[in-house]
């Protein structure tokens, strides 16, 4: 008797789930606010970081497989835009400022 009840309960839950999924209309999550976003690889190393810098502006940084920064796009001194690229050793190779 317990097996019949378990089967009936499971079927009822699945049926209710189907109707809930079919009835869901809005796929929009609305506004999402976070302090920063970090994308890490399977070894836990950061590959992309989006956040706020010490000057109060936003920035986007990318990193290579060794954890060295390869690019920086964000706010520079005085609120101007800045793009910096780095070589594989993390040494600055080019700078583009507003």
């Amino acid at each position: 008797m317990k097996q019949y009840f378990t089967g009936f309960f499971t079927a009822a839950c699945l049926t209710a789930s189907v109707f809930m999924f079919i009835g869901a209309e809005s796929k929009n999550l609305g506004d999402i606010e976070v302090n920063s976003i970090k994308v890490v690889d399977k070894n836990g190393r950061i590959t992309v970081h989006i956040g706020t810098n010490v000057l109060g502006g936003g920035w986007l940084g990318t990193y290579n497989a060794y954890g060295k920064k390869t690019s920086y796009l964000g706010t520079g001194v005085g609120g101007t835009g800045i793009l910096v690229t780095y070589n594989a050793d993390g040494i600055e190779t080019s700078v583009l400022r507003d």
Side-chain angles (χ1 to χ4, degrees):
M1 185 71 173
K2 182 179 177 184
Q3 291 175 344
Y4 288 115
F5 176 74
T6 303
F8 177 75
F9 183 73
T10 303
C13 288
L14 289 173
T15 303
S17 296
V18 166
F19 284 115
M20 286 177 21
F21 285 122
I22 290 173
E25 293 179 18
S26 176
K27 304 287 190 247
N28 185 357
L29 297 176
D31 296 330
I32 299 173
E33 294 183 28
V34 297
N35 292 328
S36 68
I37 297 173
K38 294 179 184 177
V39 178
V40 296
D41 64 9
K42 62 183 177 182
N43 297 318
R45 289 185 294 255
I46 298 173
T47 57
V48 177
H49 187 186
I50 303 170
T52 305
N53 63 19
V54 295
L55 301 172
W59 71 281
L60 166 72
T62 59
Y63 300 82
N64 64 17
Y66 305 106
K68 301 283 186 174
K69 187 181 285 189
T70 56
S71 69
Y72 171 90
L73 173 64
T75 305
V77 177
T80 62
I82 186 169
L83 170 65
V84 183
T85 61
Y86 303 87
N87 65 13
D89 296 323
I91 299 171
E92 199 174 279
T93 56
S94 66
V95 177
L96 180 62
R97 290 190 170 98
D98 180 15

